[in-house]
Amino acid sequence: LSKTSLIIQFLSIVLLFLLTITFHYRCWRAGINRNTKSFWRPIVILYISMTFMLYPTEFRLIALFVEESPFRKYEWYLYVCVGLPMLMNEVMRNVWHPGHYLPNDGAVVLGEE
């Protein structure tokens, strides 16, 4: 069950990564806000965040599928390869919070529906 859940998690992150790349490419090709940091910075932060989430998932998959893996023997691998990227992800998302890019007034409409 844990192998299946990790595979599903890995595939979900990869699919989200592909969806973001597709969105990024379409916006770039259409010329949408090419020169504004407030549009591109959240996309770049999303790329970095997904990389930080993909990295520990790969190590957990290796630990489950490889019998003689050092990840099973030593606990510090767990802290460095799983805990550190997730901690860096949380710090990054707190520093560059997505709410900074939304309008302060809730009545403001960002686009027509």
Side-chain angles (χ1 to χ4, degrees):
L1 187 62
S2 62
K3 290 180 182 180
T4 306
S5 64
L6 277 175
I7 290 171
I8 291 171
Q9 180 181 0
F10 181 78
L11 291 176
S12 299
I13 295 171
V14 169
L15 287 175
L16 183 62
F17 217 111
L18 291 174
L19 181 68
T20 306
I21 289 170
T22 303
F23 176 74
H24 188 177
Y25 175 72
R26 288 180 181 173
C27 288
W28 178 78
R29 194 174 70 191
I32 298 174
N33 294 326
R34 285 191 179 174
N35 297 325
T36 58
K37 289 182 180 179
S38 64
F39 183 77
W40 294 111
R41 187 174 287 155
I43 293 176
V44 171
I45 290 170
L46 185 61
Y47 283 137
I48 296 169
S49 177
M50 286 186 295
T51 304
F52 281 148
M53 287 187 288
L54 189 64
Y55 184 72
T57 306
E58 292 172 357
F59 278 101
R60 286 186 285 170
L61 279 170
I62 292 169
L64 277 177
F65 284 105
V66 178
E67 292 297 326
E68 292 298 321
S69 172
F71 303 116
R72 289 184 175 196
K73 293 180 183 177
Y74 306 108
E75 193 173 355
W76 70 269
Y77 280 113
L78 180 69
Y79 294 132
V80 173
C81 298
V82 176
L84 187 61
M86 296 308 265
L87 177 65
M88 291 180 352
N89 186 24
E90 290 301 316
V91 169
M92 180 190 67
R93 285 174 124 345
N94 282 320
V95 171
W96 292 290
H97 192 273
H100 294 294
Y101 305 102
L102 296 173
N104 291 331
D105 187 10
V108 174
V109 178
L110 295 177
E112 297 200 20
E113 297 179 7

